[in-house]
């Protein structure tokens, strides 16, 4: 038993720190959920202590028939009336939190479409939609309204450090708001089992100062700065990558896979799972299914030497 | 306490009378309150699902309909609770065991269980009504 406890402890404590820490107070919505959590934990500890204390007291005390009436009243109040009132109060409190984190107006609107197994991200702006993927950047102290949907199976959108999670359902649009209160990089993930690479369906949620965010969004909206005679772009188009991927400013306009216009500006590759390095990029292209099983993108094992180098250099230049 | 089964110890009324569905020894009163809750729950679920799928994203109107249905159902259950007390002699807290093998003992037991189920069903209907009133959206 002790061994099981010791083995399990790192798993439990592992959730208490790092990028996915849901007690990090990184967002206004997360802080409200945390408050509910701590009240539940402390309340449960108090109730547990009282119940066990009463049981020990009752076990040690001699039976006194004259107190039976009081004992029954105690059971009725302590075992039925008070729990009913407490559960009702917690239900109302939880529902009010749920209402507040799902129906607020946003300072900006972000549409996220859950795909297998990556995230299509679209920022709504007055100048038009800004399409990106697998990384979400937010301005601090602003409320972002997320409009969530899914392509073919149910996913769930969750940035534990920033707020609550919400299912993404094909054919429906669900809403969630996040109001980050400090800058930093947090981890986001799919919280609903969605198939083979579910555990590798992640993203970075990067919270920036508002001015920096506006600069980033303006840059993200611009087309890629690519020379049309770039050798790497030639490889990209020759291999048919443009049938699935879009790089704005080039002939590649495929709508199936992630938009790659500013791919190298993202911190991670493969939907939040590998550092954005040339080596990882090369491995992603040649050993795709080793890097991330079950995904639709085919591997290109025969692409090597100069052509692979040109393609990797081209993709790493898309910042 | 005086209750009707004191006056009519048999399971049925005078010869020639049809037995009441609820009262005079019938056990249906125990199932009635949870059944009302279940009907309200299913009706609420179907109403909200159809409303959200066909009519709109706001749940305000169906939430009030669900609340009104809840009030009617709660009133019905309160009526059942009154019957459990008056016809069956049910009490909320039993201070001595019911061991008597008699019509009256069985009635008291059924009345007690029915009264508790009535209270539970009203609470459960409240749990169905509250989310709609607070959330207000599909």
């Amino acid at each position: 038993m002790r061994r099981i406890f010791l083995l399990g402890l790192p798993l439990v404590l592992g959730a208490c720190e790092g990028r996915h820490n849901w007690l990090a107070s990184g967002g206004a919505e997360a802080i409200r959920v945390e408050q509910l959590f701590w009240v539940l934990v402390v309340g449960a500890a108090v109730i547990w202590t009282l119940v066990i204390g009463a049981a020990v007291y009752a076990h040690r005390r001699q039976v006194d028939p004259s107190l039976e009436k009081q004992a029954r009243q105690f059971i009725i109040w302590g075992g039925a009336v008070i729990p009913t009132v407490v559960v009702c109060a917690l239900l109302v409190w939880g529902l009010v939190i749920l209402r507040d984190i799902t129906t607020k107006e946003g300072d900006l609107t972000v549409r996220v479409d859950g795909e297998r197994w990556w995230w299509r991200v679209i920022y709504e702006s007055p100048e038009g939609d800004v399409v990106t993927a697998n990384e979400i950047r937010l301005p601090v102290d602003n409320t972002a309204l997320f409009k969530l949907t899914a392509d073919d199976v149910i996913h769930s959108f969750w940035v534990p450090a920033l707020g609550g999670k919400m299912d993404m359902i094909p054919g429906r649009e669900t809403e969630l708001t996040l109001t980050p209160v400090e800058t930093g990089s947090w981890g986001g993930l799919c919280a609903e089992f969605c198939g083979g690479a579910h555990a590798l369906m992640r993203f970075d949620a990067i919270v920036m100062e508002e001015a920096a965010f506006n600069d980033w969004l303006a840059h993200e909206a611009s087309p890629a700065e690519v020379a049309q005679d770039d050798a790497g772009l030639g490889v990209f188009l020759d291999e048919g990558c443009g049938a699935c991927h879009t790089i704005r400013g080039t002939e590649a306009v495929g709508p199936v896979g992630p938009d790659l216009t500013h791919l190298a500006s993202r911190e991670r590759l493969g939907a939040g799972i590998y550092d954005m390095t040339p080596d990882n990029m090369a491995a992603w292209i040649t050993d795709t299914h080793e890097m991330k099983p079950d995904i639709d993108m085919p591997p290109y094992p025969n692409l090597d030497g100069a052509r692979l180098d040109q393609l990797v250099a081209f993709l790493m230049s898309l910042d | 306490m005086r209750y009707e089964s004191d006056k009519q110890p048999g399971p049925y009324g005078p010869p020639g009378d049809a037995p009441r569905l609820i009262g005079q020894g019938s056990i249906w009163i125990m199932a009635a309150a949870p059944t009302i809750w279940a009907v309200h729950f299913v009706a609420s679920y179907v109403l909200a699902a159809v409303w959200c799928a066909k009519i709109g994203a706001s749940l305000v109107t169906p939430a009030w309909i669900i609340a009104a249905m809840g009030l009617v159902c709660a009133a019905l259950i309160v009526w059942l609770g009154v019957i459990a007390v008056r016809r069956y002699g049910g009490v909320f807290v039993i201070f001595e065991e019911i061991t008597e093998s008699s019509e009256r003992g069985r009635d008291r037991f059924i009345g007690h269980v029915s009264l508790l189920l009535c209270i539970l069903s009203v609470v459960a209907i409240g749990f169905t009504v509250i989310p709609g009133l607070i959330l207000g959206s599909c």
Side-chain angles (χ1 to χ4, degrees):
Chain A
M1 190 68 197
R2 192 173 164 211
R3 192 174 294 172
I4 292 171
F5 177 75
L6 288 174
L7 282 173
L9 198 58
L11 291 174
V12 175
L13 293 179
C16 293
E17 59 178 346
R19 295 159 41 73
H20 298 93
N21 178 11
W22 63 280
L23 297 174
S25 304
E29 292 80 6
I31 290 170
R32 295 198 62 186
V33 176
E34 277 174 49
Q35 288 168 344
L36 178 60
F37 168 74
W38 286 116
V39 168
L40 282 174
V41 168
V42 173
V46 169
I47 290 169
W48 185 87
T49 307
L50 287 174
V51 170
I52 297 299
V56 171
Y57 175 76
H59 181 67
R60 292 195 171 172
R61 202 188 147 89
Q62 288 216 323
V63 175
D64 180 355
S66 69
L67 289 176
E68 187 154 341
K69 195 163 184 176
Q70 281 111 306
R72 284 179 185 269
Q73 294 286 3
F74 180 73
I75 291 169
I76 294 292
W77 282 93
V81 179
I82 294 175
T84 303
V85 172
V86 168
V87 169
C88 280
L90 290 173
L91 173 71
V92 171
W93 190 8
L95 287 168
V96 167
I97 291 176
L98 182 62
R99 181 191 64 192
D100 290 350
I101 68 176
T102 53
T103 57
K104 269 195 295 189
E105 293 292 316
D107 300 312
L108 77 156
T109 302
V110 188
R111 301 202 305 273
V112 183
D113 181 8
E115 308 269 346
R116 284 185 302 165
W117 288 271
W118 59 281
W119 313 83
R120 190 188 301 276
V121 181
I122 302 166
Y123 287 81
E124 292 184 358
S125 83
E127 292 78 35
D129 289 348
V130 180
V131 182
T132 180
N134 298 332
E135 187 177 273
I136 287 167
R137 298 199 180 215
L138 299 172
V140 70
D141 294 328
N142 281 260
T143 297
L145 171 64
F146 286 89
K147 294 183 173 180
L148 308 168
T149 188
D151 187 38
D152 50 10
V153 298
I154 296 176
H155 302 279
S156 185
F157 178 89
W158 194 24
V159 189
L162 297 186
K165 65 174 174 239
M166 183 57 66
D167 279 0
M168 312 170 88
I169 301 164
R172 292 188 70 95
E173 188 177 86
T174 50
E175 293 188 352
L176 176 76
T177 57
L178 294 179
T179 312
V181 294
E182 59 179 287
T183 56
S185 176
W186 307 104
L189 45 84
C190 177
E192 180 82 43
F193 180 72
C194 54
H198 158 70
L200 301 176
M201 185 174 171
R202 292 169 178 260
F203 62 94
D204 288 321
I206 299 166
V207 181
M208 314 166 80
E209 294 295 344
E210 192 167 354
F213 170 79
N214 290 334
D215 290 345
W216 170 83
L217 189 60
H219 178 67
E220 200 69 19
S222 65
E225 292 174 10
V226 181
Q228 295 303 319
D229 60 351
D230 186 295
L233 174 60
V235 177
F236 186 88
L237 296 174
D238 286 349
E239 295 292 338
C241 307
C244 291
H245 295 285
T246 291
I247 299 176
R248 279 172 275 129
T250 74
E251 294 172 30
V253 290
V256 179
D259 185 293
L260 303 182
T261 305
H262 297 287
L263 170 67
S265 71
R266 297 172 199 155
E267 293 192 351
R268 265 171 251 270
L269 176 67
I273 54 173
Y274 294 106
D275 288 338
M276 186 66 75
T277 65
D279 287 345
N280 283 340
M281 184 70 78
W284 181 267
I285 294 165
T286 55
D287 300 310
T288 317
H289 292 174
E290 295 293 319
M291 300 285 275
K292 189 164 178 174
D294 292 351
I295 62 172
D296 285 342
M297 177 172 155
Y300 292 80
N302 299 325
L303 197 63
D304 53 12
R307 281 170 63 78
L308 181 61
D309 291 343
Q310 287 166 344
L311 180 57
V312 170
F314 163 68
L315 292 172
M316 294 303 293
S317 73
L318 297 172
D319 56 8
Chain B
M1 180 188 282
R2 286 178 58 78
Y3 54 100
E4 288 184 16
S5 60
D6 274 338
K7 290 178 272 178
Q8 295 176 349
Y12 306 117
D17 274 10
R20 288 186 189 174
L21 188 61
I22 288 177
Q24 298 168 312
S26 162
I27 61 168
W28 288 107
I29 190 171
M30 286 198 295
T35 303
I36 292 171
W37 160 75
V39 168
H40 178 262
F41 181 79
V42 171
S44 304
Y45 212 97
V46 169
L47 174 64
V50 171
W51 190 281
C52 288
K54 303 286 183 191
I55 296 175
S58 171
L59 203 61
V60 173
T61 306
W64 283 109
I65 295 172
I66 289 166
M69 290 193 308
L71 267 180
V72 172
C73 291
L76 269 175
I77 292 172
V78 168
W79 174 67
L80 284 169
V82 170
I83 291 177
V85 172
R86 290 198 178 156
R87 285 196 202 155
Y88 288 78
V91 290
F92 182 50
V93 185
I94 297 176
F95 287 104
E96 70 278 350
E97 290 176 33
I98 301 174
T99 52
E100 191 185 339
S101 177
S102 67
E103 210 56 53
R104 175 183 164 151
R106 278 187 283 277
D107 273 1
R108 285 184 63 213
F109 174 74
I110 292 171
H112 174 61
V113 172
S114 302
L115 189 59
L116 296 185
L117 284 170
C118 285
I119 294 167
L120 189 65
S121 300
V122 168
V123 171
I125 286 176
F127 277 21
T128 309
V129 169
I130 289 170
L133 291 180
I134 292 179
L135 290 177
S137 69
C138 293

